[in-house]
Amino acid sequence: MRAEEPGPTSSEQGGQPAGGWDLGASRRFVALAAARGASQVLGIVWFLLAVRRLDESTFGDLAAGLAFFAVFSGIGDAGTTRTVVRHVATNHDLVWSAYWRALPLRIMTGLTVGALTTAAVAVAPVPVPAQVVLLAGLLATVSGATELAFASRRAIGAIWVEVGLLVGERVVFLAAGVVALSAGVGAIGILVLYLVTNLFSAVISGLATWWKRPRHHTQPGPMTDREARLTAYGFALVTISPRLPTILVALLTSPVDLATFSVAQRPVEAIALFALSTATPALPIARNRLSRGLVADADRAVAAVAGVLLLALAPAVAWFLVAPDIPLSLLAGAGRYESAKPVLQILALTTASWVFRGVAELRLLAEERAGLLVRVTLSGAITTVIAGAPFVIAFGSIGAAWAVVAGEAIMTILLARSLPALADRSALRSYFPATGVFVATAVVLAATADHVALQTALLGVAFGVAAITALRLLKHLERR
């Protein structure tokens, strides 16, 4: 594994650390993006295997478990992965002590949320097995410990352990998952496999963080002050809001409807989560630069991250909108889940908002404006629930998709008004390449609708053009 390259510590820079993401930011960003992309590809390969080999009821249980896992991850995080960056990005000597102080809070919160929800599901008349919810809670807790270590190290520019584990864990799980499917293991067994592989990553990343501890013990600031609590509320709402329709489908309809929605949601969620996870360096970059008064540099970097990610995803979004039957056939097999096509097209509309919202939220946290983040995300969550319940009852999976759109639209509009630097003329120039690639890809795919092989080749060209252009835009990550 490559040697780490942290920047100088705060003691070397008079309390305000330079280096880290100031040096080689674009290279680190590309490495993380490649690792996240590889992880998503491996996850899609697993999804293809699971959706084809599991019956709809079993797959529905597994989808419910993963939906609860996502919700538990947001609530159980308690803002820790953002709060450690808030401390470490401005003082690199805190990389170990901040992680170690936040870890017990993350574990305690995760276990509590999982246990209470499991107890509620066990006595409620819902079709989700309590064992599935329990395992989802444990999985979210262990995964959260890994993300906490990643965040601590990422705040100082140390990303190579994260890069290795992102790919390595997926490879191990995929190999074990193939064996499990061949042996006829159900949803419970698969969730246990998730738990074991995540535990491996949690241990390795924790040891790697311990290895980065400074010679002199340094205490971090509080992990539960007002800003930290607001960060926890905001992050929980950010995570939960777009997934509330999945929970509503699980609780108000049948496992078959849930499976249909999950199949349609999977490709959109895969690329959106890739974008959001890849955008995480924007938080330490912006936080560190803002702490030194480099506001213009911070805004330029955040807008560049949004522009790069929108550009990278533009061909896929055009694909989902113009030719949804092809990705669905690749995922579930030809002729299966035909009703998922309109759901995929509707959900594809939210991809751009996911990206913009994700980087805007990181910019707010970098400036310690978590209170505003809470208000924005709460508005989105309320909109999703109010629209989601009647929409799901009336229209099933299609209604759930429109509920996601409603919540995302509210949050995006409010964030754009709160952060004008991300929507001004300079920032818009960062988004223009993505718009051009999206329109060109959509037109080409529509014109070649009867030629799947040609569409595939042209889609590959579009991704290549997007990648090359994105690499050029990454120069804006470097500090001037």
Side-chain angles (χ1 to χ4, degrees), residues 351-367:
T351 307
S353 67
W354 274 59
V355 173
F356 179 83
R357 176 173 58 81
V359 295
E361 289 156 0
L362 295 175
R363 178 62 177 80
L364 285 178
L365 293 178
E367 203 173 3

Side-chain angles (χ1 to χ4, degrees), residues 269-293:
E269 185 179 54
I271 63 173
L273 290 180
F274 160 73
L276 295 181
S277 60
T278 304
T280 51
L283 178 56
I285 291 173
R287 175 66 175 160
N288 181 270
R289 293 179 185 181
L290 288 172
S291 70
R292 289 181 279 159

Side-chain angles (χ1 to χ4, degrees), residues 47 59-60 63-64 246 257-267 269 331:
F47 185 85
F59 181 76
T246 305
D257 278 333
L258 177 59
T260 298
F261 184 77
S262 298
V263 168
Q265 185 185 44
R266 179 58 181 175
E269 185 179 54
L331 283 174

Side-chain angles (χ1 to χ4, degrees), residues 296 298-311 356 359-360 363 415-416 419-435 473 476 480:
D299 287 335
R300 186 185 308 110
V302 173
V305 169
V308 166
L309 294 176
L310 287 170
L311 179 58
F356 179 83
V359 295
R363 178 62 177 80
L415 285 169
L419 292 168
L422 295 185
D424 63 12
R425 183 178 301 177
S426 176
L428 290 176
R429 284 197 294 268
S430 298
Y431 313 147
F432 283 156
T435 304
L473 291 176
H476 298 295
R480 294 181 181 179

